[in-house]
Amino acid sequence: MYRITKKESLNPTVTFMEVEAPFVARKAEPGQFIILRVDEEGERIPLTIAGCDREKGTVEIIFQIVGATTGKLNHKNVGEYLQDFVGPLGKATETEGLKRVCVVGGGVGCAIALPVARKLHELGVEVTSIIGFRNKDLLILEKEFAACSDQLIVMTDDGSYARQGNVTVPLKEMLEAGEQFDEVITIGPLIMMKFVVLACKPFGVPVTVSMNPIMIDGTGMCGGCRLSLVQDGKRVTRFACVDGPDFNGYEVDFDEAMQRGAMFRDFERQAYEEACNLFREVKA
Amino acid sequence: MANMSLKKNPMPSQDPKVRAHNFDEVAIGYSEETAIDEALRCLHCKNMPCVSGCPVNIHIPEFIEKIKQQDYEGAYQIISETSSLPAVCGRVCPQESQCEAKCVRGIKGEPVGIGRLERFVADWHNAHATEAPVVPAPNGHKVAIIGSGPSGLTCAGDLAKKGYKVTVFEALHLAGGVLVYGIPEFRLPKAIVQKEVDNLKAMGVDVETNMVIGKTLTVDEIFEMGYEAVFIGSGAGLPNFMNIPGESLKGVYSANEYLTRSNLMKAFREHPVTPISKGGRVAVVGGGNVAMDAARTALRLGADEVTIVYRRSLDELPARKEEVEHAMEEGIIFKLLTNPTEILGYHNPDDPRDPKNGNVIGMTCIQMELGEPDERGRRRPVPIPDSEFTIDVDTVVMAIGTSPNPLIKSTTAGLEVNRRGGIVVEEATGATSREGVYAGGDAVTGAATVISAMGAGKVAAKAIDEYLQSK
């Protein structure tokens, strides 16, 4: 069992949690993920690691309440326990040899982008961060990004805070103005990452994307997390849990990944509604 | 007085029409009377050919003798001298190609039902035994086992009996490996696996779940923690796909994913928290035990029609004969000498946002014929030109094997692997290229049987004992 040591609501749908998991904390690196089960009967869900404290033996996660399981997770409080918490899984984000990097985060993906930006900053890399949200209410981690970025650009889709537009707008402007990045690292919704890749393509900047597909064991057994890459014109199958979650953005078949991500959408929606009703009943 | 009937006592089983809709165990097991009657068919051959057919060399005629004397606990004790998981083996071993294949009674008629007797004895013990297992005196040595599947549990059990302090590291949240995530409830009830794991715990074995070796801990760190030897029984790895178009469509699963959802995550229940496709038409590609398990699971999940698609003929089906027979009785369709070439998906040309886009709707297959034998002597299936046809399906399960997991080999310096990624071991000992590191089961051989993995765990336990005692 894994004790919750901190909990904070970052916005109405996004929650920060710190969990005691010394074996995971010992090794966790930016880009890696964990799999958790809330309780004895729970499903296994992957969540990317948002940070860790090796001395305290704690791991931070930031999650969006999107379904039944994340809803249940959000009902757990400090001092309560999670049934299972396993990791760190997947490969860490490659940071070696980088000098100037643009980190592009979207929505709750910013939670995963933050430790990457932090690590790059600690390594002395010049970091430009672009973070985007649908609106002002969903904004998270602005201060934290400001602290580890040489330049920070905040975008909202509706213009209710900072600059209006999506994250590709300032990215394109910078690239067109001749900004040279060794790499663009992007983490967020699949559709956003797809367009970040398209924006970078004319300039030949390497783009790393972080994939977060359907997953069960997370250790290279079930194959549920597979995605297709196109390498030298040939399609190859890769597994996000052991080969990723980071991939070369130019190789990922995003359209297929988006379709696969919707495989259980009806089931998930129904489960979420049932769970919400249950919580309402409990409250009433 | 020997029973000279040429036929085995049949295994009482649930009616195929009934069992196709439930997850209860198919085979019900011998009654006491039937077990004694079957035991009386054993001739007690001096040279005991059956024992040589058993990968863990159970003293078969001796335990059968105890059944005749109605000393079932005595029979259990004889089996457990050499086997750690009798209730499991009695259910899932391919006895027809092992002990029973060597039985003299099989020359003229059917062999003695050794597997069925083993199961009877183990079930009798589990239902009646009250005494806790003997906890052996500790010998002061610590051994780590990676993986709690059949090879790991066997190795752990054998070492614990010798007084070693054994810790089993399991990556998933539940111990049992393929016995819990892979083999379905109707063939191996999970309560039986749990009982075997509990027995080991009662003997002092520690089971640490949520420990992914190669990630959470490395083999080197395990040694630094004071373990003097390590056994790697990490099992099968990444599922293989055919690399045909359409394998990423919605409704295509690897058998590992499909079975894990149903077995480990209990998606077969009425209100599951983990989703799985239920109902419709299901095609399972492959002909092994895993394919049979997936097909029969699909049926029980409510499929209207389940088809096994296999590229060779009935004679080459690698699955156990009994599983194939059970599947056929339950109404699973076998499309043999058939190989998929493409999985077809729904596409609404007018609406790119149609949620049905990308759902599996069919599978194109090609007819095969058997050509020249390959290097293993099996006749190679060859496609018949222009024989393509399409079948209507909603779900496709790929059960065509696995490739070894990369996590341990990529984090353990000096651990030699073969071309396919399997860990290289000395067959007689299970010793790897790293001193003090042993391996066995699917991590070495690629997909194989539960009992061969147990045999490997046993061999390694003996070698680890000799290694540590001579140190």
Side-chain angles (χ1 to χ4, degrees):
Chain A
M1 301 284 272
Y2 303 81
R3 196 164 67 98
I4 299 165
T5 47
K6 263 187 207 162
K7 183 185 172 189
E8 190 188 329
S9 172
L10 300 187
N11 74 32
T13 63
V14 176
T15 302
F16 165 94
M17 228 176 227
E18 186 190 74
V19 180
E20 243 172 30
F23 274 111
V24 183
R26 240 161 40 96
K27 290 208 174 156
E29 289 288 338
Q32 291 189 295
F33 64 94
I34 55 98
I35 285 202
L36 65 78
R37 286 201 317 153
V38 178
D39 54 35
E40 185 70 40
E41 296 292 317
E43 68 171 333
R44 295 172 68 93
I45 59 160
L47 287 173
T48 307
I49 295 165
C52 69
D53 187 324
R54 299 206 204 284
E55 280 175 21
K56 274 166 57 194
T58 53
V59 177
E60 295 160 16
I61 49 172
I62 293 177
F63 57 93
Q64 186 160 21
I65 304 146
V66 288
T69 298
T70 41
K72 222 161 47 169
L73 179 60
N74 193 48
H75 271 75
K76 289 278 177 189
N77 290 311
V78 173
E80 292 185 296
Y81 290 82
L82 301 180
Q83 181 73 27
D84 296 292
F85 196 93
V86 54
L89 302 169
K91 291 181 179 163
T93 301
E94 286 282 350
T95 49
E96 236 179 77
L98 300 175
K99 300 246 168 7
R100 297 194 76 213
V101 171
C102 183
V103 176
V104 183
V108 75
C110 293
I112 308 158
L114 179 65
V116 177
R118 263 188 193 144
K119 179 164 182 200
L120 290 168
H121 182 72
E122 280 164 20
L123 292 170
V125 178
E126 192 182 328
V127 178
T128 299
S129 296
I130 306 174
I131 56 174
F133 305 91
R134 278 209 314 259
N135 58 51
K136 186 183 174 210
D137 294 339
L138 300 177
L139 176 79
I140 55 170
L141 304 173
E142 186 187 11
K143 255 188 269 158
E144 288 82 352
F145 268 101
C148 63
S149 308
D150 296 273
Q151 188 189 1
L152 171 65
I153 302 164
V154 182
M155 305 292 293
T156 50
D157 291 357
D158 65 354
S160 55
Y161 183 77
R163 205 178 145 186
Q164 195 248 323
N166 57 44
V167 291
T168 51
V169 175
L171 178 63
K172 262 191 207 156
E173 284 171 3
M174 281 191 277
L175 292 169
E176 275 163 7
E179 279 279 7
Q180 301 284 325
F181 295 117
D182 299 329
E183 192 168 312
V184 171
I185 300 175
T186 180
I187 304 161
L190 288 169
I191 188 82
M192 182 201 90
M193 295 195 286
K194 177 183 169 174
F195 280 97
V196 167
V197 170
L198 287 174
C200 292
K201 203 168 182 183
F203 305 92
V205 197
V207 185
T208 296
V209 299
S210 173
M211 304 298 281
N212 187 9
I214 288 170
M215 212 176 262
I216 306 176
D217 63 299
T219 65
M221 190 269 285
C222 82
C225 66
R226 67 189 182 276
L227 58 140
S228 298
L229 302 185
V230 181
Q231 289 179 336
D232 305 322
K234 266 184 66 184
R235 286 181 82 79
V236 295
T237 298
R238 288 288 179 271
F239 301 96
C241 69
V242 290
D243 300 318
D246 287 358
F247 291 94
N248 175 346
Y250 293 112
E251 294 178 349
V252 173
D253 182 339
F254 284 102
D255 294 336
E256 181 190 283
M258 282 186 254
Q259 205 166 67
R260 275 189 67 75
M263 185 154 164
F264 297 110
R265 190 156 287 166
D266 289 346
F267 176 94
E268 285 158 359
R269 189 170 296 135
Q270 201 186 336
Y272 182 46
E273 281 162 14
E274 280 171 16
C276 289
N277 288 337
L278 199 68
F279 286 131
R280 266 197 291 275
E281 279 168 29
V282 170
K283 270 188 191 163
Chain B
M1 195 180 54
N3 169 356
M4 292 313 288
S5 162
L6 292 181
K7 288 204 168 291
K8 269 190 223 187
N9 278 284
M11 178 57 118
S13 300
Q14 274 197 76
D15 184 288
K17 285 199 191 74
V18 175
R19 72 183 192 233
H21 304 289
N22 69 45
F23 277 85
D24 298 339
E25 195 172 8
V26 168
I28 293 161
Y30 278 171
S31 65
E32 229 180 294
E33 294 71 34
T34 317
I36 294 169
D37 190 58
E38 187 63 26
L40 287 167
R41 292 185 66 229
C42 176
L43 301 176
H44 295 275
C45 313
K46 281 251 152 47
N47 57 348
M48 303 184 288
C50 51
V51 178
S52 68
C54 173
V56 298
N57 303 116
I58 291 175
H59 304 149
I60 294 163
E62 287 177 42
F63 96 74
I64 292 181
E65 183 60 35
K66 292 282 183 194
I67 297 178
K68 287 185 198 170
Q69 298 164 6
Q70 299 181 33
D71 176 8
Y72 309 126
E73 183 56 27
Y76 180 82
Q77 293 307 329
I78 289 168
I79 296 175
S80 49
E81 277 171 28
T82 51
S83 168
S84 312
L85 311 167
V88 174
C89 292
R91 287 171 165 81
V92 303
C93 262
Q95 291 101 5
E96 69 273 16
S97 59
Q98 296 177 351
C99 53
E100 294 182 18
K102 303 276 175 97
C103 177
V104 170
R105 293 298 305 264
I107 299 167
K108 220 193 210 174
E110 289 182 349
V112 174
I114 300 169
R116 293 168 186 181
L117 290 174
E118 180 185 23
R119 173 184 160 160
F120 167 78
V121 168
D123 287 355
W124 191 93
H125 170 85
N126 282 344
H128 296 89
T130 46
E131 276 171 52
V134 184
V135 181
N139 70 5
H141 294 285
K142 275 169 77 177
V143 179
I145 310 281
I146 303 172
S148 64
S151 74
L153 292 181
T154 303
C155 191
D158 279 17
L159 289 169
K161 279 179 202 162
K162 291 196 163 86
Y164 288 91
K165 182 68 205 153
V166 179
T167 305
V168 179
F169 294 106
E170 167 56 46
L172 292 172
H173 57 263
L174 196 64
V178 72
L179 306 175
V180 299
Y181 77 73
I183 301 176
E185 181 78 18
F186 57 82
R187 206 150 73 77
L188 179 65
K190 299 307 148 226
I192 286 170
V193 182
Q194 192 54 51
K195 186 112 189 169
E196 303 283 14
V197 173
D198 289 344
N199 276 338
L200 286 181
K201 286 184 181 167
M203 279 165 60
V205 173
D206 284 330
V207 179
E208 300 274 358
T209 52
N210 294 335
M211 295 296 262
V212 183
I213 306 308
K215 286 288 170 192
T216 316
L217 281 178
T218 63
V219 169
D220 291 298
E221 287 167 325
I222 290 175
F223 279 112
E224 284 163 24
M225 289 161 75
Y227 293 94
E228 296 160 86
V230 174
F231 173 76
I232 305 172
S234 51
L238 295 161
N240 294 338
F241 288 90
M242 293 184 73
N243 295 317
I244 58 172
E247 283 179 305
S248 293
L249 290 166
K250 292 186 280 181
V252 183
Y253 299 81
S254 75
N256 273 3
E257 179 183 357
Y258 192 71
L259 291 170
T260 300
R261 283 178 184 275
S262 181
N263 299 328
L264 178 72
M265 305 312 297
K266 312 282 178 226
F268 69 85
R269 289 185 186 163
E270 212 159 310
H271 292 288
V273 292
T274 297
I276 196 167
S277 316
K278 294 182 180 179
R281 289 155 300 187
V282 181
V284 178
V285 181
N289 287 322
V290 174
M292 300 305 136
D293 284 347
R296 297 171 70 198
T297 296
L299 196 67
R300 286 159 173 78
L301 287 172
D304 303 319
E305 188 182 281
V306 183
T307 309
I308 292 263
V309 176
Y310 178 58
R311 60 195 181 135
R312 290 185 163 93
S313 69
L314 192 62
D315 292 338
E316 287 83 13
L317 271 177
R320 279 183 70 193
K321 205 168 141 247
E322 188 180 303
E323 304 308 327
V324 176
E325 283 169 8
H326 277 158
M328 285 178 168
E329 282 167 18
E330 288 166 14
I332 299 212
I333 301 161
F334 283 73
K335 274 200 198 306
L336 303 166
L337 290 166
T338 303
N339 210 24
T341 55
E342 182 175 3
I343 302 167
L344 309 168
Y346 179 82
H347 174 67
N348 183 344
D350 302 322
D351 183 6
R353 287 169 174 274
D354 188 332
K356 291 207 291 285
N357 282 343
N359 284 352
V360 171
I361 53 168
M363 186 161 77
T364 305
C365 300
I366 191 162
Q367 212 66 62
M368 310 290 276
E369 61 187 345
L370 293 179
E372 295 301 309
D374 62 14
E375 60 273 15
R376 288 159 68 193
R378 287 203 303 180
R379 290 178 67 191
R380 203 188 296 270
V382 190
I384 301 173
D386 303 319
S387 65
E388 283 94 347
F389 61 98
T390 298
I391 56 173
D392 291 339
V393 289
D394 311 291
T395 299
V396 175
V397 181
M398 288 290 173
I400 53 169
T402 59
S403 310
N405 190 303
L407 293 185
I408 293 177
K409 71 170 189 234
S410 64
T411 53
T412 311
L415 187 68
E416 203 187 317
V417 296
N418 62 26
R419 197 167 39 84
R420 288 171 295 117
I423 298 169
V424 176
V425 299
E426 203 182 87
E427 208 171 312
T429 60
T432 69
S433 54
R434 271 282 297 266
E435 194 192 330
V437 180
Y438 297 74
D442 285 6
V444 169
T445 57
T449 60
V450 167
I451 188 71
S452 67
M454 289 180 55
K458 204 161 192 63
V459 164
K462 185 164 173 274
I464 289 170
D465 178 46
E466 283 163 9
Y467 165 69
L468 292 178
Q469 294 309 322
S470 69
K471 236 173 93 170

